Amino acid sequence: MAAVKVVYFTEVFSSWCYWGEPMWAELKARYSGRVDFEVRIAMMRPEDFPGSREQCDWAYRRSGGTVMRSPFMLSSGWVEPGRQGGYPAGDLVLQAAVGLGADPDKARLALMEAALRQGRKIGQIDEAVAAAARATGLDPKALKAGAESPGIRAEVDASSAEYFAHQLGQNQRPAFLLTDATGSKAVLAGLVQIAPLAAAIDAMLSDCAAYAAHAAHHPPPGK
């Protein structure tokens, strides 16, 4: 087990999580073998979703256009105006895919691309299963059965509750929980640039190395 661990709380339908994916990939590459990385789902509540495609497009113009200066615009085609109960299918399928052994990053990116770039209605279980199964090679029937099981729903509810317990302002995603062997903890939310996360990781790695060096040269005295 590495001295530092980073947990990434994500939501399939979050545009900010989508924009943060390149940064997540870079973090994993930069600290490979030195930091443990884990992804947990932080499912959005029904009231957190846009009620119309117009509302969704407005948010996408802000995140992708104004802030990220992206050369392309995300698609709001996944939005189903008037839908009740939110869009849990995408997150449930993702959790089920991971439970069946799929690469978490591959499954997550496939669902994000299907919804946010292609505008597919991933809020519908069959559409979400089709996107994830194609990317991961999983059996669609097994994937759907897993996504509809009480156990998978309990896992997603538990990780989402953990995320909400941090009370991150406007429930900003992506969110990152950093912990280390010395007991330090940092929570960063709403950031998609690598610099602040890398700085926190570097500080934690440095502290852990210092603690290890001190322990090697100065064993703790007996009681």
Side-chain angles (χ1 to χ4, degrees):
M1 178 178 288
V4 176
K5 181 174 182 177
V6 180
V7 175
Y8 165 29
F9 288 99
T10 187
E11 154 69 62
V12 166
F13 289 100
S14 168
S15 64
W16 282 116
C17 288
Y18 178 87
W19 297 123
E21 285 293 335
M23 178 267 288
W24 178 247
E26 185 177 347
L27 275 179
K28 292 179 67 178
R30 183 182 297 188
Y31 296 99
S32 177
R34 295 189 291 155
V35 174
D36 288 335
F37 293 94
E38 181 181 346
V39 178
R40 298 178 190 170
I41 293 173
M43 188 163 55
M44 289 168 59
R45 302 167 300 185
E47 61 267 29
D48 295 331
F49 287 94
S52 67
R53 291 191 62 176
E54 289 75 18
Q55 290 180 352
C56 190
D57 287 336
W58 178 87
Y60 286 169
R61 291 188 182 98
R62 179 181 60 183
S63 65
T66 302
V67 179
M68 299 303 298
R69 298 177 176 85
S70 170
F72 61 86
M73 183 171 173
L74 298 181
S75 172
S76 62
W78 59 269
V79 176
E80 301 176 53
R83 182 185 179 93
Q84 302 296 315
Y87 299 76
D91 291 318
L92 296 173
V93 168
L94 173 57
Q95 188 75 10
V98 174
L100 290 171
D103 179 279
D105 293 338
K106 182 179 291 186
R108 184 179 68 257
L109 290 172
L111 288 162
M112 285 182 167
E113 287 287 332
L116 304 181
R117 289 298 307 276
Q118 301 167 22
R120 293 169 60 182
K121 299 193 182 303
I122 303 301
Q124 300 176 11
I125 187 73
D126 289 336
E127 193 72 13
V129 165
R134 181 175 182 179
T136 61
L138 293 173
D139 176 62
K141 291 183 179 180
L143 184 54
K144 183 176 181 179
E148 293 179 331
S149 69
I152 288 297
R153 182 60 194 240
E155 291 175 10
V156 172
D157 285 344
S159 61
S160 300
E162 180 186 1
Y163 161 79
F164 282 111
H166 288 291
Q167 299 181 340
L168 303 176
Q170 298 298 315
N171 299 322
Q172 292 181 320
R173 297 172 184 82
F176 303 92
L177 172 63
L178 293 74
T179 55
D180 69 23
T182 73
S184 297
K185 179 174 74 171
V187 181
L188 302 173
L191 301 173
V192 296
Q193 305 295 333
I194 197 170
L197 278 89
I201 292 173
D202 288 340
M204 286 183 164
L205 288 172
S206 177
D207 286 349
C208 289
Y211 270 58
H214 180 272
H217 289 275
H218 305 283
K223 293 183 179 179

